[in-house]
Amino acid sequence: MRKILFIITAVLFIGYTANAQGCAEPASEDGVNVFGYLQTQYDYGFTEGDNTSSFGFNRARVGVMGNIPYDFSYYVLLETSPFKKDGPKAYLLDAFVTYSRFPFLKVSMGSFKSPFGQELSTPCNALYTINRSKFVNELTAPDRDMGLMLLGGADTTLFQYSVAYMNGTGLLVADKDKYKDLVGRLIVHPIDWFQFAGSFRLGKSVSSDETVEDADERKRFGADFQIEKFGFLVQGEYIWAEDKGSYLVGGGCGGDPELVQGSVKRQGLSIMALYNTPWNLQPVIKYENYDDDIDFDGYNNYEHVTTIGFNYFFNEWTRLQVNYEYKAEWAGEVDNDMLMVQLQVKF
């Protein structure tokens, strides 16, 4: 029996090099590593009336990370883009400490991204399209939170998991009730070119004018897959959400979601494909569909977005992204398409 357990453990965790919360890890055993990335962007909006045209920073992030003897590491990241949360000021985005004595069970505590879904788990500097899907931004909010996370596994192991016990209040907002959110994700890599995963989020909260019996509830369940073969990459994701009492709309990376009173069920899905050409060029196309009220009788609340574009890599640190978003509303199309050009540099 012991031999069987040893073989199973070896299959699961051999070659393990987990990255906490999908983030980078320190490059050396000691000392401070400075890192970050800058995303300069041009947006042209095809809106009703006069079109819009604007230059700005999508993200401008700088941080430090390092190892502390023994078995501890730290990660701190600031957002400095003046076009993000609350205007032109820097604010703390991620800040957590990780204990990594056991390769199959790391523990992180602090502020970090919620371990839910495929697109949200992808680092912002590694997204294949400039924007995350709208249903991902809304149904995974709050995307960052304070809490405690257990995680283990990597791309080279059969299983990769992360489970977090979080405030449920969002980025750097104190929790004023006894309830917490439980968030988790399990990825299975049966073969080297295919993976599938499941995610969940369960939580409650009480606002200042509610009693414990009237606590708001949230449920999230998601599934996703990835196929990478012969230079092609295909990803798909589905999220189902139910909120009772109140729910969040908007949000996303650096945005403030808006609280809406009421109960609602929502769902969304996306499918994305790209091809890695020999010329450092990635043509990409993504389709997303968002139903913001499942119980609504009809299809007028459906939103469809098709993103086409390409990614060009000058080198491993510098990338150009060009995206055109074609937005189609079932109830009647409006002029809200968008052309975006983004130049990213990592350091």
Side-chain angles (χ1 to χ4, degrees), residues 16-33:
Y16 168 87
T17 54
N19 290 332
Q21 294 77 260
C23 303
E25 287 195 323
S28 62
E29 290 301 320
D30 50 30
V32 177
N33 303 139

Side-chain angles (χ1 to χ4, degrees), residues 278-328:
W279 310 285
N280 298 330
L281 184 70
Q282 289 180 335
V284 59
I285 183 170
K286 182 176 77 171
Y287 169 77
E288 58 185 277
N289 182 314
Y290 180 36
D291 180 359
D292 63 10
D293 189 349
I294 295 176
D295 294 328
F296 182 81
D297 186 15
Y299 299 94
N300 286 347
N301 57 313
Y302 272 60
E303 297 180 61
H304 310 265
V305 180
T306 301
T307 304
I308 57 174
F310 66 85
N311 306 317
Y312 180 75
F313 296 86
F314 296 94
N315 48 55
E316 65 176 298
W317 307 282
T318 311
R319 177 185 68 179
L320 175 69
Q321 287 186 293
V322 178
N323 284 180
Y324 183 88
E325 287 186 348
Y326 169 63
K327 303 178 182 181

Side-chain angles (χ1 to χ4, degrees), residues 37-330:
Y37 56 95
L38 179 66
Q39 295 177 339
T40 61
Q41 187 164 317
Y42 172 73
D43 296 334
Y44 189 90
F46 299 89
T47 57
E48 294 185 15
D50 294 334
N51 294 339
T52 61
S53 175
S54 177
F55 287 96
F57 294 108
N58 192 355
R59 301 175 182 93
R61 298 181 177 176
V62 61
V64 294
M65 58 182 168
N67 291 306
I68 301 175
Y70 295 94
D71 305 320
F72 284 93
S73 64
Y74 59 89
Y75 183 101
V76 181
L77 184 64
L78 296 178
E79 174 66 80
T80 66
S81 170
F83 301 93
K84 291 297 184 182
K85 186 180 178 68
D86 298 331
K89 67 176 183 180
Y91 61 93
L92 188 64
L93 197 64
D94 294 324
F96 56 86
V97 177
T98 300
Y99 177 71
S100 55
R101 165 62 67 89
F102 305 105
F104 53 87
L105 178 60
K106 292 190 175 185
V107 182
S108 294
M109 186 172 181
S111 173
F112 44 76
K113 192 183 294 183
S114 300
F116 187 102
Q118 185 179 72
E119 274 196 308
L120 181 61
S121 299
T122 302
C124 297
N125 59 56
L127 291 169
Y128 298 108
T129 56
I130 293 175
N131 290 332
R132 287 188 172 93
S133 302
K134 181 177 180 179
F135 76 91
V136 172
N137 285 335
E138 295 208 356
L139 302 187
T140 61
D143 59 345
R144 278 179 165 85
D145 207 345
M146 293 284 298
L148 176 73
M149 181 187 294
L150 307 180
L151 65 160
D155 293 342
T156 56
T157 61
L158 179 58
F159 294 108
Q160 186 175 2
Y161 74 93
S162 50
V163 180
Y165 187 62
M166 315 185 80
N167 280 341
T169 53
L171 183 64
L172 305 178
V173 177
D175 194 354
K176 297 181 180 179
D177 60 48
K178 67 178 182 179
Y179 297 112
K180 296 291 180 287
D181 280 17
L182 186 63
V183 191
R185 175 169 166 79
L186 175 65
I187 307 173
V188 184
H189 309 98
I191 46 182
D192 60 358
W193 52 268
F194 174 70
Q195 72 175 45
F196 61 93
S199 303
F200 72 92
R201 183 173 196 136
L202 303 172
K204 289 184 177 183
S205 62
V206 177
S207 63
S208 58
D209 57 348
E210 291 178 327
T211 63
V212 174
E213 291 76 15
D214 297 325
D216 296 344
E217 297 182 29
R218 68 168 65 97
K219 295 179 183 178
R220 304 285 187 272
F221 296 101
D224 59 80
F225 73 90
Q226 175 175 297
I227 301 172
E228 190 169 9
K229 192 76 169 177
F230 304 122
F232 288 94
L233 175 68
V234 179
Q235 292 182 336
E237 182 168 10
Y238 171 79
I239 299 176
W240 178 91
E242 180 181 18
D243 295 272
K244 296 180 180 179
S246 66
Y247 58 97
L248 298 174
V249 297
C253 216
D256 286 321
E258 177 186 353
L259 184 66
V260 177
Q261 296 299 320
S263 300
V264 68
K265 293 179 182 178
R266 297 172 287 174
Q267 63 182 352
L269 61 86
S270 66
I271 184 78
M272 186 215 68
L274 64 80
Y275 179 66
N276 294 295
T277 72
W279 310 285
N280 298 330
L281 184 70
Q282 289 180 335
V284 59
I285 183 170
K286 182 176 77 171
Y287 169 77
E288 58 185 277
N289 182 314
Y290 180 36
D291 180 359
D292 63 10
D293 189 349
I294 295 176
D295 294 328
F296 182 81
D297 186 15
Y299 299 94
N300 286 347
N301 57 313
Y302 272 60
E303 297 180 61
H304 310 265
V305 180
T306 301
T307 304
I308 57 174
F310 66 85
N311 306 317
Y312 180 75
F313 296 86
F314 296 94
N315 48 55
E316 65 176 298
W317 307 282
T318 311
R319 177 185 68 179
L320 175 69
Q321 287 186 293
V322 178
N323 284 180
Y324 183 88
E325 287 186 348
Y326 169 63
K327 303 178 182 181
E329 296 77 19
W330 194 283

